[in-house]
Protein backbone atom coordinates (compact mmCIF):
# COMPACT_ATOMS: atom_id res chain seq x y z
CA UNK A 1 0.00 0.00 0.00
CA UNK A 2 1.23 3.51 -0.78
CA UNK A 3 2.06 5.69 2.19
CA UNK A 4 1.10 8.92 0.39
CA UNK A 5 -2.06 9.35 2.48
CA UNK A 6 -0.07 9.49 5.72
CA UNK A 7 2.02 12.35 4.37
CA UNK A 8 -0.96 14.62 4.83
CA UNK A 9 -1.65 13.49 8.40
CA UNK A 10 -0.67 15.19 11.65
CA UNK A 11 -0.45 12.61 14.46
CA UNK A 12 -0.02 13.42 18.15
CA UNK A 13 1.36 10.74 20.47
CA UNK A 14 0.51 11.12 24.15
CA UNK A 15 3.26 9.45 26.17
CA UNK A 16 6.79 8.42 25.24
CA UNK A 17 6.92 4.92 26.66
CA UNK A 18 8.23 2.12 24.46
CA UNK A 19 4.87 1.74 22.71
CA UNK A 20 4.49 5.45 22.04
CA UNK A 21 8.04 5.79 20.70
CA UNK A 22 7.59 2.72 18.50
CA UNK A 23 4.32 4.01 17.04
CA UNK A 24 5.91 7.42 16.49
CA UNK A 25 8.83 5.85 14.64
CA UNK A 26 6.62 3.81 12.30
CA UNK A 27 4.23 6.68 11.61
CA UNK A 28 6.99 9.21 10.98
CA UNK A 29 8.88 6.83 8.69
CA UNK A 30 5.67 6.29 6.72
CA UNK A 31 5.32 10.02 6.15
CA UNK A 32 3.12 11.39 8.92
CA UNK A 33 3.95 14.58 10.82
CA UNK A 34 4.39 13.15 14.31
CA UNK A 35 4.59 15.07 17.58
CA UNK A 36 5.22 13.17 20.83
CA UNK A 37 4.20 14.69 24.17
CA UNK A 38 5.82 13.27 27.32
CA UNK A 39 5.11 14.89 30.69
CA UNK A 40 8.25 13.50 32.38
CA UNK A 41 11.65 15.04 31.77
CA UNK A 42 12.90 11.95 29.94
CA UNK A 43 11.30 9.34 27.73
CA UNK A 44 10.63 5.70 28.64
CA UNK A 45 7.66 5.80 30.97
CA UNK A 46 7.85 2.90 33.40
CA UNK A 47 11.07 1.80 31.64
CA UNK A 48 13.11 4.55 33.25
CA UNK A 49 16.58 5.08 34.65
CA UNK A 50 17.63 6.21 38.13
CA UNK A 51 21.13 7.61 38.71
CA UNK A 52 22.06 7.80 42.36
CA UNK A 53 25.49 8.51 43.91
CA UNK A 54 27.40 6.82 41.08
CA UNK A 55 24.95 3.91 40.74
CA UNK A 56 22.67 3.40 37.74
CA UNK A 57 19.40 1.47 37.97
CA UNK A 58 16.72 0.45 35.49
CA UNK A 59 13.53 1.44 37.28
CA UNK A 60 11.26 -0.82 35.21
CA UNK A 61 11.83 -3.87 32.98
CA UNK A 62 15.08 -5.72 33.63
CA UNK A 63 14.72 -8.84 31.43
CA UNK A 64 15.63 -8.71 27.72
CA UNK A 65 13.51 -11.45 26.14
CA UNK A 66 12.34 -12.20 22.58
CA UNK A 67 15.44 -10.72 20.90
CA UNK A 68 13.91 -11.38 17.47
CA UNK A 69 11.21 -8.77 18.08
CA UNK A 70 13.84 -6.16 18.92
CA UNK A 71 15.69 -7.12 15.72
CA UNK A 72 12.43 -6.87 13.77
CA UNK A 73 11.90 -3.31 14.99
CA UNK A 74 15.39 -2.03 14.17
CA UNK A 75 15.55 -3.81 10.82
CA UNK A 76 12.31 -2.09 9.77
CA UNK A 77 14.28 1.16 9.81
CA UNK A 78 17.43 -0.18 8.19
CA UNK A 79 19.19 -0.34 11.58
CA UNK A 80 20.37 -3.06 13.92
CA UNK A 81 20.35 -3.45 17.68
CA UNK A 82 24.14 -3.75 17.82
CA UNK A 83 24.44 -0.19 16.54
CA UNK A 84 23.09 0.92 19.88
CA UNK A 85 24.01 -1.62 22.55
CA UNK A 86 25.90 -4.86 23.18
CA UNK A 87 23.91 -7.91 24.23
CA UNK A 88 25.19 -10.47 26.72
CA UNK A 89 23.43 -13.82 27.03
CA UNK A 90 22.97 -14.80 30.65
CA UNK A 91 23.89 -18.25 31.94
CA UNK A 92 22.51 -19.27 34.34
CA UNK A 93 19.25 -17.55 33.52
CA UNK A 94 18.69 -17.03 37.21
CA UNK A 95 19.48 -18.45 40.64
CA UNK A 96 16.66 -19.47 42.95
CA UNK A 97 16.71 -19.77 46.73
CA UNK A 98 13.84 -21.27 48.72
CA UNK A 99 12.99 -20.58 52.34
CA UNK A 100 13.78 -24.19 53.31
CA UNK A 101 17.49 -23.65 52.56
CA UNK A 102 17.45 -25.22 49.09
CA UNK A 103 18.87 -23.43 46.05
CA UNK A 104 19.50 -24.06 42.37
CA UNK A 105 20.99 -22.36 39.34
CA UNK A 106 18.69 -22.63 36.33
CA UNK A 107 20.97 -23.04 33.29
CA UNK A 108 20.49 -21.66 29.80
CA UNK A 109 21.07 -25.09 28.24
CA UNK A 110 17.73 -26.99 28.11
CA UNK A 111 19.50 -30.35 28.50
CA UNK A 112 21.23 -29.17 31.66
CA UNK A 113 17.89 -27.79 32.87
CA UNK A 114 16.31 -31.19 32.20
CA UNK A 115 18.99 -32.77 34.41
CA UNK A 116 18.10 -30.27 37.13
CA UNK A 117 14.43 -31.25 36.87
CA UNK A 118 15.31 -34.96 37.00
CA UNK A 119 17.27 -34.39 40.22
CA UNK A 120 14.05 -33.27 41.92
CA UNK A 121 11.63 -35.83 40.50
CA UNK A 122 12.16 -39.10 38.61
CA UNK A 123 10.91 -38.69 35.06
CA UNK A 124 10.73 -34.89 35.33
CA UNK A 125 13.63 -34.44 32.90
CA UNK A 126 11.69 -36.10 30.10
CA UNK A 127 8.53 -34.26 31.15
CA UNK A 128 10.43 -30.98 30.99
CA UNK A 129 11.61 -31.71 27.44
CA UNK A 130 8.03 -32.56 26.45
CA UNK A 131 6.82 -29.35 28.09
CA UNK A 132 9.36 -27.32 26.11
CA UNK A 133 8.30 -29.01 22.86
CA UNK A 134 4.69 -28.12 23.58
CA UNK A 135 5.73 -24.60 24.60
CA UNK A 136 7.50 -24.16 21.27
CA UNK A 137 4.42 -25.32 19.36
CA UNK A 138 2.27 -22.91 21.36
CA UNK A 139 4.77 -20.12 20.68
CA UNK A 140 4.85 -20.78 16.94
CA UNK A 141 1.06 -20.95 16.68
CA UNK A 142 0.47 -17.97 18.95
CA UNK A 143 3.06 -15.71 17.34
CA UNK A 144 2.44 -16.56 13.71
CA UNK A 145 -1.37 -16.76 13.80
CA UNK A 146 -2.26 -14.21 16.46
CA UNK A 147 0.47 -11.94 17.86
CA UNK A 148 2.49 -10.90 14.81
CA UNK A 149 -0.55 -10.29 12.56
CA UNK A 150 -2.09 -8.04 15.22
CA UNK A 151 -5.46 -9.72 15.63
CA UNK A 152 -7.20 -7.47 18.15
CA UNK A 153 -10.88 -7.71 17.10
CA UNK A 154 -13.27 -10.66 17.16
CA UNK A 155 -13.79 -10.40 13.41
CA UNK A 156 -10.04 -10.90 12.92
CA UNK A 157 -10.53 -14.48 14.12
CA UNK A 158 -13.18 -15.43 11.54
CA UNK A 159 -11.02 -17.48 9.21
CA UNK A 160 -10.14 -21.17 8.88
CA UNK A 161 -6.45 -20.31 9.22
CA UNK A 162 -6.99 -18.68 12.58
CA UNK A 163 -9.30 -21.42 13.81
CA UNK A 164 -6.67 -24.00 12.89
CA UNK A 165 -4.05 -22.08 14.84
CA UNK A 166 -6.35 -21.72 17.83
CA UNK A 167 -6.73 -25.49 18.09
CA UNK A 168 -3.04 -25.68 18.98
CA UNK A 169 -3.50 -23.37 21.95
CA UNK A 170 -5.07 -24.18 25.32
CA UNK A 171 -7.35 -21.22 25.95
CA UNK A 172 -9.47 -22.70 28.74
CA UNK A 173 -7.08 -24.25 31.27
CA UNK A 174 -4.96 -22.25 33.70
CA UNK A 175 -1.19 -22.37 33.48
CA UNK A 176 -1.04 -24.13 36.85
CA UNK A 177 -3.42 -26.86 35.69
CA UNK A 178 -1.30 -27.49 32.61
CA UNK A 179 2.02 -27.48 34.48
CA UNK A 180 0.65 -30.00 37.00
CA UNK A 181 -0.02 -32.40 34.14
CA UNK A 182 3.73 -32.54 33.47
CA UNK A 183 5.41 -32.38 36.89
CA UNK A 184 4.32 -32.91 40.49
CA UNK A 185 7.12 -31.35 42.53
CA UNK A 186 6.03 -27.89 43.77
CA UNK A 187 9.47 -26.39 43.19
CA UNK A 188 9.51 -27.57 39.58
CA UNK A 189 6.07 -26.08 39.07
CA UNK A 190 7.43 -22.78 40.34
CA UNK A 191 10.32 -22.95 37.88
CA UNK A 192 7.86 -23.38 35.00
CA UNK A 193 5.42 -20.78 36.26
CA UNK A 194 7.64 -17.90 37.34
CA UNK A 195 7.52 -16.34 33.84
CA UNK A 196 3.88 -15.37 34.49
CA UNK A 197 5.29 -12.54 36.61
CA UNK A 198 6.15 -10.83 33.31
CA UNK A 199 2.47 -11.05 32.33
CA UNK A 200 1.04 -9.67 35.54
CA UNK A 201 -0.87 -12.81 36.46
CA UNK A 202 -0.92 -15.72 38.88
CA UNK A 203 -0.58 -19.43 38.06
CA UNK A 204 -4.32 -19.77 38.61
CA UNK A 205 -5.68 -16.95 36.41
CA UNK A 206 -3.20 -16.96 33.53
CA UNK A 207 -4.25 -19.06 30.49
CA UNK A 208 -2.26 -22.19 29.73
CA UNK A 209 -1.36 -20.85 26.29
CA UNK A 210 1.28 -18.76 28.09
CA UNK A 211 3.35 -21.88 28.60
CA UNK A 212 4.88 -20.45 25.42
CA UNK A 213 6.89 -18.23 27.78
CA UNK A 214 9.04 -21.24 28.62
CA UNK A 215 10.08 -21.39 24.98
CA UNK A 216 10.85 -17.67 25.18
CA UNK A 217 13.08 -18.47 28.15
CA UNK A 218 14.86 -21.69 27.09
CA UNK A 219 14.45 -21.65 23.33
CA UNK A 220 15.24 -17.99 22.64
CA UNK A 221 17.38 -17.07 25.62
CA UNK A 222 17.68 -14.45 28.35
CA UNK A 223 19.88 -11.45 27.57
CA UNK A 224 21.12 -8.20 29.06
CA UNK A 225 21.95 -5.03 27.12
CA UNK A 226 25.21 -3.66 28.51
CA UNK A 227 24.52 -0.34 30.16
CA UNK A 228 21.02 -1.44 31.16
CA UNK A 229 17.57 -1.68 29.63
CA UNK A 230 17.43 2.09 29.30
CA UNK A 231 19.95 1.74 26.48
CA UNK A 232 17.09 0.14 24.54
CA UNK A 233 14.76 3.03 25.36
CA UNK A 234 17.31 5.55 24.09
CA UNK A 235 17.84 3.48 20.94
CA UNK A 236 14.12 3.44 20.16
CA UNK A 237 13.94 7.18 20.82
CA UNK A 238 16.84 7.74 18.40
CA UNK A 239 15.10 5.70 15.70
CA UNK A 240 11.89 7.70 16.20
CA UNK A 241 13.69 11.04 16.03
CA UNK A 242 15.74 9.97 13.00
CA UNK A 243 12.51 8.91 11.29
CA UNK A 244 11.22 12.46 11.75
CA UNK A 245 9.20 12.35 14.98
CA UNK A 246 9.31 15.53 17.07
CA UNK A 247 9.67 14.39 20.69
CA UNK A 248 8.89 16.84 23.51
CA UNK A 249 9.51 16.08 27.20
CA UNK A 250 8.24 18.02 30.19
CA UNK A 251 4.93 18.60 28.38
CA UNK A 252 1.69 17.22 29.84
CA UNK A 253 -1.50 16.56 27.90
CA UNK A 254 -4.36 17.36 30.28
CA UNK A 255 -7.30 16.70 27.98
CA UNK A 256 -8.34 15.18 24.65
CA UNK A 257 -11.45 16.01 22.63
CA UNK A 258 -12.52 14.34 19.39
CA UNK A 259 -13.73 17.08 17.04
CA UNK A 260 -14.82 17.27 13.43
CA UNK A 261 -11.90 16.02 11.37
CA UNK A 262 -9.45 15.53 14.21
CA UNK A 263 -8.61 15.37 17.92
CA UNK A 264 -7.79 18.39 20.06
CA UNK A 265 -5.11 18.03 22.75
CA UNK A 266 -5.01 20.38 25.72
CA UNK A 267 -1.51 21.27 26.92
CA UNK A 268 -1.20 23.74 29.75
CA UNK A 269 -3.95 26.00 28.47
CA UNK A 270 -2.92 25.65 24.84
CA UNK A 271 -4.92 23.62 22.36
CA UNK A 272 -3.32 21.67 19.52
CA UNK A 273 -5.38 19.87 16.90
CA UNK A 274 -4.09 16.73 15.19
CA UNK A 275 -5.72 14.64 12.51
CA UNK A 276 -5.25 11.63 14.78
CA UNK A 277 -3.92 10.92 18.27
CA UNK A 278 -2.20 7.83 19.66
CA UNK A 279 -2.47 7.37 23.44
CA UNK A 280 0.44 5.65 25.14
CA UNK A 281 -1.28 6.08 28.50
CA UNK A 282 -3.41 3.55 30.41
CA UNK A 283 -6.80 3.31 28.64
CA UNK A 284 -8.63 3.64 31.95
CA UNK A 285 -6.90 6.97 32.59
CA UNK A 286 -7.56 8.19 29.05
CA UNK A 287 -11.27 7.42 29.25
CA UNK A 288 -11.78 8.62 32.82
CA UNK A 289 -9.56 11.70 32.92
CA UNK A 290 -8.61 12.91 29.43
CA UNK A 291 -11.69 12.38 27.26
CA UNK A 292 -15.08 14.07 27.75
CA UNK A 293 -17.59 11.89 29.63
CA UNK A 294 -19.40 9.47 27.41
CA UNK A 295 -16.87 9.54 24.57
CA UNK A 296 -16.29 5.81 24.96
CA UNK A 297 -19.33 3.76 25.85
CA UNK A 298 -18.59 1.30 28.67
CA UNK A 299 -20.97 -0.63 30.87
CA UNK A 300 -21.10 0.76 34.39
CA UNK A 301 -17.89 0.31 36.36
CA UNK A 302 -16.13 -1.41 33.44
CA UNK A 303 -12.60 -0.31 34.37
CA UNK A 304 -13.12 -1.14 38.05
CA UNK A 305 -14.04 -4.69 37.07
CA UNK A 306 -10.83 -5.29 35.12
CA UNK A 307 -8.04 -7.42 36.61
CA UNK A 308 -4.85 -5.41 36.90
CA UNK A 309 -1.36 -6.79 37.15
CA UNK A 310 0.46 -6.44 40.45
CA UNK A 311 1.90 -3.27 41.78
CA UNK A 312 5.35 -3.57 43.29
CA UNK A 313 7.52 -2.58 46.21
CA UNK A 314 10.96 -1.75 44.84
CA UNK A 315 14.23 -0.95 46.56
CA UNK A 316 17.10 0.50 44.54
CA UNK A 317 20.19 -0.16 46.62
CA UNK A 318 23.82 0.82 46.19
CA UNK A 319 25.73 -1.83 48.14
CA UNK A 320 29.34 -1.80 49.29
CA UNK A 321 31.41 -4.87 48.41
CA UNK A 322 30.80 -7.68 45.94
CA UNK A 323 27.88 -10.11 46.07
CA UNK A 324 29.05 -13.40 44.53
CA UNK A 325 26.22 -15.23 46.29
CA UNK A 326 23.67 -13.52 44.05
CA UNK A 327 23.26 -13.88 40.30
CA UNK A 328 22.25 -11.19 37.81
CA UNK A 329 18.68 -12.48 38.29
CA UNK A 330 17.88 -14.11 41.62
CA UNK A 331 14.57 -15.37 42.98
CA UNK A 332 14.11 -15.70 46.74
CA UNK A 333 10.96 -17.79 47.05
CA UNK A 334 8.76 -19.27 49.73
CA UNK A 335 8.21 -22.97 49.09
CA UNK A 336 4.48 -22.20 49.06
CA UNK A 337 3.83 -19.01 47.10
CA UNK A 338 0.06 -19.45 46.77
CA UNK A 339 -0.73 -17.28 49.84
CA UNK A 340 1.24 -14.39 48.35
CA UNK A 341 -0.58 -14.67 45.00
CA UNK A 342 -3.89 -14.87 46.88
CA UNK A 343 -2.94 -11.64 48.67
CA UNK A 344 -2.47 -10.02 45.25
CA UNK A 345 -5.48 -11.29 43.30
CA UNK A 346 -8.03 -12.83 45.68
CA UNK A 347 -7.94 -11.00 49.00
CA UNK A 348 -5.72 -7.91 48.54
CA UNK A 349 -3.36 -7.43 51.46
CA UNK A 350 0.21 -6.55 52.29
CA UNK A 351 2.42 -9.65 52.66
CA UNK A 352 2.53 -9.68 56.44
CA UNK A 353 2.28 -12.31 59.16
CA UNK A 354 2.16 -15.79 57.65
CA UNK A 355 2.14 -14.51 54.06
CA UNK A 356 5.72 -15.04 52.92
CA UNK A 357 6.71 -12.59 50.16
CA UNK A 358 8.00 -13.59 46.74
CA UNK A 359 11.19 -11.55 46.23
CA UNK A 360 13.00 -10.92 42.95
CA UNK A 361 16.56 -9.58 43.26
CA UNK A 362 18.29 -7.99 40.27
CA UNK A 363 22.05 -7.39 40.48
CA UNK A 364 23.05 -6.09 37.02
CA UNK A 365 26.53 -5.19 38.24
CA UNK A 366 27.31 -8.93 38.33
CA UNK A 367 27.30 -8.69 34.52
CA UNK A 368 27.92 -4.99 33.91
CA UNK A 369 30.46 -3.18 36.16
CA UNK A 370 29.53 0.17 34.58
CA UNK A 371 26.32 0.44 36.63
CA UNK A 372 28.11 0.68 40.01
CA UNK A 373 31.30 2.30 41.36
CA UNK A 374 34.33 0.06 41.79
CA UNK A 375 33.97 -2.28 44.72
CA UNK A 376 30.18 -1.89 44.86
CA UNK A 377 27.07 -3.57 43.46
CA UNK A 378 23.79 -2.16 42.15
CA UNK A 379 20.86 -4.12 43.62
CA UNK A 380 17.14 -3.90 42.94
CA UNK A 381 14.63 -5.89 44.98
CA UNK A 382 11.03 -6.29 43.85
CA UNK A 383 8.04 -7.72 45.70
CA UNK A 384 4.75 -7.90 43.75
CA UNK A 385 1.80 -6.37 45.60
CA UNK A 386 -1.93 -6.07 45.08
CA UNK A 387 -2.83 -2.87 43.26
CA UNK A 388 -4.97 -0.46 45.24
CA UNK A 389 -3.30 -1.04 48.62
CA UNK A 390 -2.97 2.00 50.86
CA UNK A 391 0.66 3.00 50.49
CA UNK A 392 1.92 4.55 53.74
CA UNK A 393 5.48 5.22 54.95
CA UNK A 394 5.03 2.81 57.86
CA UNK A 395 3.88 -0.03 55.63
CA UNK A 396 6.67 0.60 53.15
CA UNK A 397 9.27 0.61 55.90
CA UNK A 398 7.87 -2.58 57.42
CA UNK A 399 7.99 -4.32 54.06
CA UNK A 400 11.52 -3.03 53.46
CA UNK A 401 12.67 -4.75 56.64
CA UNK A 402 10.83 -7.92 55.72
CA UNK A 403 12.40 -7.97 52.26
CA UNK A 404 15.91 -7.51 53.60
CA UNK A 405 15.24 -10.23 56.20
CA UNK A 406 13.95 -12.59 53.49
CA UNK A 407 16.96 -11.97 51.25
CA UNK A 408 19.34 -12.58 54.15
CA UNK A 409 17.61 -15.72 55.44
CA UNK A 410 17.00 -17.32 52.03
CA UNK A 411 20.18 -16.41 50.18
CA UNK A 412 22.65 -15.98 53.02
CA UNK A 413 23.46 -12.46 51.76
CA UNK A 414 22.73 -9.73 54.30
CA UNK A 415 22.61 -6.33 52.61
CA UNK A 416 21.52 -4.19 55.54
CA UNK A 417 24.88 -2.94 56.89
CA UNK A 418 26.33 -2.45 53.39
CA UNK A 419 23.79 -0.08 51.84
CA UNK A 420 25.41 3.26 50.88
CA UNK A 421 22.68 4.60 48.55
CA UNK A 422 18.95 3.92 48.52
CA UNK A 423 15.72 4.89 46.78
CA UNK A 424 12.34 3.19 46.72
CA UNK A 425 9.11 3.02 44.76
CA UNK A 426 5.75 1.51 45.57
CA UNK A 427 2.03 1.66 44.79
CA UNK A 428 1.74 5.45 45.01
CA UNK A 429 4.55 6.08 42.51
CA UNK A 430 2.95 3.87 39.87
CA UNK A 431 -0.39 5.62 40.43
CA UNK A 432 0.96 9.19 40.51
CA UNK A 433 3.75 9.03 37.93
CA UNK A 434 2.15 6.72 35.40
CA UNK A 435 -1.62 7.02 36.02
CA UNK A 436 -1.92 3.26 36.44
CA UNK A 437 -5.22 2.21 38.05
CA UNK A 438 -4.59 1.27 41.65
CA UNK A 439 -0.89 1.81 41.13
CA UNK A 440 -0.48 -1.35 39.04
CA UNK A 441 3.07 -1.71 37.77
CA UNK A 442 1.99 -3.55 34.62
CA UNK A 443 -1.54 -2.50 33.66
CA UNK A 444 -4.16 -5.01 32.55
CA UNK A 445 -3.14 -8.56 33.46
CA UNK A 446 -3.13 -11.33 30.85
CA UNK A 447 -6.01 -13.27 32.38
CA UNK A 448 -8.37 -15.56 30.47
CA UNK A 449 -10.83 -12.66 30.06
CA UNK A 450 -8.18 -10.11 29.06
CA UNK A 451 -6.31 -11.86 26.30
CA UNK A 452 -6.54 -11.53 22.51
CA UNK A 453 -9.70 -9.73 21.34
CA UNK A 454 -10.81 -9.37 24.97
CA UNK A 455 -7.97 -6.86 25.44
CA UNK A 456 -8.23 -3.27 24.13
CA UNK A 457 -7.05 -3.07 20.53
CA UNK A 458 -5.35 -0.12 18.82
CA UNK A 459 -8.63 1.55 17.82
CA UNK A 460 -10.50 3.32 20.63
CA UNK A 461 -14.11 2.23 20.44
CA UNK A 462 -16.65 4.95 19.65
CA UNK A 463 -14.10 7.18 17.94
CA UNK A 464 -12.49 7.03 14.51
CA UNK A 465 -9.30 9.06 15.06
CA UNK A 466 -8.06 7.92 18.47
CA UNK A 467 -5.77 4.94 19.16
CA UNK A 468 -4.19 3.00 22.03
CA UNK A 469 -0.69 1.57 22.34
CA UNK A 470 1.17 0.16 25.33
CA UNK A 471 1.09 -2.69 27.83
CA UNK A 472 -2.64 -2.45 28.62
CA UNK A 473 -3.59 -2.81 24.96
CA UNK A 474 -2.94 -5.54 22.41
CA UNK A 475 -0.60 -7.44 22.16
CA UNK A 476 0.19 -6.79 25.81
CA UNK A 477 2.77 -6.43 28.55
CA UNK A 478 6.53 -6.26 28.07
CA UNK A 479 9.06 -4.26 26.07
CA UNK A 480 9.01 -6.48 22.95
CA UNK A 481 5.20 -6.57 22.92
CA UNK A 482 5.06 -2.78 23.23
CA UNK A 483 7.49 -2.44 20.32
CA UNK A 484 5.23 -4.69 18.27
CA UNK A 485 2.16 -2.84 19.50
CA UNK A 486 3.61 0.37 18.10
CA UNK A 487 3.86 -1.28 14.69
CA UNK A 488 0.28 -2.55 14.90
CA UNK A 489 -1.01 0.84 16.01
CA UNK A 490 0.71 2.58 13.09
CA UNK A 491 -0.69 -0.01 10.69
CA UNK A 492 -4.19 0.65 12.04
CA UNK A 493 -3.75 4.39 11.46
CA UNK A 494 -2.52 3.72 7.92
CA UNK A 495 -5.43 1.41 7.20
CA UNK A 496 -7.94 3.96 8.51
CA UNK A 497 -6.40 6.83 6.56
CA UNK A 498 -5.98 4.94 3.32
CA UNK A 499 -9.08 2.78 3.49
CA UNK A 500 -7.03 -0.37 2.95
CA UNK A 501 -6.37 -3.53 4.97
CA UNK A 502 -4.48 -3.70 8.27
CA UNK A 503 -0.99 -4.66 7.13
CA UNK A 504 2.68 -3.98 7.71
CA UNK A 505 3.83 -0.54 6.60
CA UNK A 506 6.27 -0.43 3.63
CA UNK A 507 9.35 0.74 5.53
CA UNK A 508 13.09 0.60 4.85
CA UNK A 509 13.97 -2.83 6.19
CA UNK A 510 11.28 -4.78 4.31
Amino acid sequence: MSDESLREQSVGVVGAGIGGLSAAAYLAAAGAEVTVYERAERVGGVAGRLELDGFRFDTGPSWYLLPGLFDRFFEDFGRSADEFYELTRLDPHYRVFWDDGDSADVPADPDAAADLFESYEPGAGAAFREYLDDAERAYDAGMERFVLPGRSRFRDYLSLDVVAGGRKLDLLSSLDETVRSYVDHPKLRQLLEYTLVFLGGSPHNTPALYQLMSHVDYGLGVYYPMGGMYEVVEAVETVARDAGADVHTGVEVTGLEPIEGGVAAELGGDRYVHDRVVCNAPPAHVERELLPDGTVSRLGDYWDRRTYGPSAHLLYLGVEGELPGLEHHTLALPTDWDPHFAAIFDDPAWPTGEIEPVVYVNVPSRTDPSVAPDGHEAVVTLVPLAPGLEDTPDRREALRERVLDAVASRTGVDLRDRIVAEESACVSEFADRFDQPGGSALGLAHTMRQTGPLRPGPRVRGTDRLYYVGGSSNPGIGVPMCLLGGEHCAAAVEADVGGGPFDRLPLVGR
Side-chain angles (χ1 to χ4, degrees), residues 146-410:
F146 300 96
V147 178
L148 291 177
R151 302 186 190 278
S152 61
R153 299 176 294 186
F154 283 102
R155 73 189 193 196
D156 296 330
Y157 290 75
L158 301 178
S159 74
L160 292 177
D161 178 64
V162 172
V163 171
R167 289 173 179 166
K168 300 178 182 179
L169 302 173
D170 188 345
L171 303 173
L172 300 178
S173 304
S174 71
L175 183 64
D176 185 65
E177 289 170 333
T178 294
V179 168
R180 286 173 180 269
S181 70
Y182 291 85
V183 294
D184 293 324
H185 200 291
K187 291 179 180 177
L188 299 184
R189 297 202 306 271
Q190 287 182 338
L191 296 186
L192 292 177
E193 294 173 354
Y194 88 95
T195 51
L196 57 85
V197 172
F198 305 127
L199 303 173
S202 87
H204 307 292
N205 69 9
T206 302
L209 70 92
Y210 287 111
Q211 77 177 102
L212 61 82
M213 289 296 294
S214 288
H215 176 66
V216 170
D217 192 343
Y218 291 99
L220 304 179
V222 177
Y223 295 82
Y224 172 79
M226 299 299 285
M229 286 293 291
Y230 200 75
E231 299 295 309
V232 180
V233 176
E234 292 182 322
V236 177
E237 179 190 15
T238 297
V239 169
R241 288 184 183 272
D242 288 351
D246 192 8
V247 180
H248 298 270
T249 57
V251 178
E252 182 176 4
V253 174
T254 56
L256 293 169
E257 182 183 2
I259 60 176
E260 182 71 26
V263 179
E266 300 286 343
L267 288 88
D270 295 322
R271 184 176 171 93
Y272 296 88
V273 176
H274 295 280
D275 295 304
R276 296 171 191 274
V277 166
V278 171
C279 295
N280 184 203
H285 171 72
V286 173
E287 295 179 18
R288 286 167 160 172
E289 305 296 335
L290 299 186
L291 289 171
D293 290 343
T295 301
V296 181
S297 177
R298 302 285 187 187
L299 292 176
D301 57 351
Y302 174 86
W303 289 112
D304 291 332
R305 290 183 283 109
R306 300 306 92 190
T307 299
Y308 294 94
S311 185
H313 174 277
L314 289 143
L315 295 175
Y316 305 100
L317 306 173
V319 175
E320 186 175 18
E322 296 185 352
L323 300 173
L326 302 178
E327 269 296 338
H328 185 119
H329 297 302
T330 297
L331 304 176
L333 303 179
T335 50
D336 181 8
W337 64 9
D338 284 348
H340 190 182
F341 279 111
I344 296 172
F345 291 101
D346 301 329
D347 187 14
W350 289 80
T352 59
E354 296 182 357
I355 302 173
E356 290 293 337
V358 172
V359 184
Y360 162 59
V361 186
N362 177 220
V363 192
S365 51
R366 300 302 302 160
T367 302
D368 182 3
S370 76
V371 302
D374 289 345
H376 294 74
E377 304 269 24
V379 179
V380 181
T381 68
L382 182 152
V383 175
L385 298 174
L389 294 178
E390 184 181 1
D391 181 3
T392 65
D394 288 347
R395 284 176 172 156
R396 287 171 72 144
E397 179 61 24
L399 185 53
R400 175 191 184 274
E401 292 304 311
R402 189 135 200 236
V403 168
L404 295 177
D405 285 344
V407 171
S409 63
R410 296 175 194 174

Side-chain angles (χ1 to χ4, degrees), residues 73-74 77-87 225-226 228 231-232 234-240 242:
F73 172 81
F74 290 113
F77 301 90
R79 313 294 287 270
S80 63
D82 58 16
E83 289 182 48
F84 300 100
Y85 49 84
E86 175 190 353
L87 279 182
M226 299 299 285
E231 299 295 309
V232 180
E234 292 182 322
V236 177
E237 179 190 15
T238 297
V239 169
D242 288 351

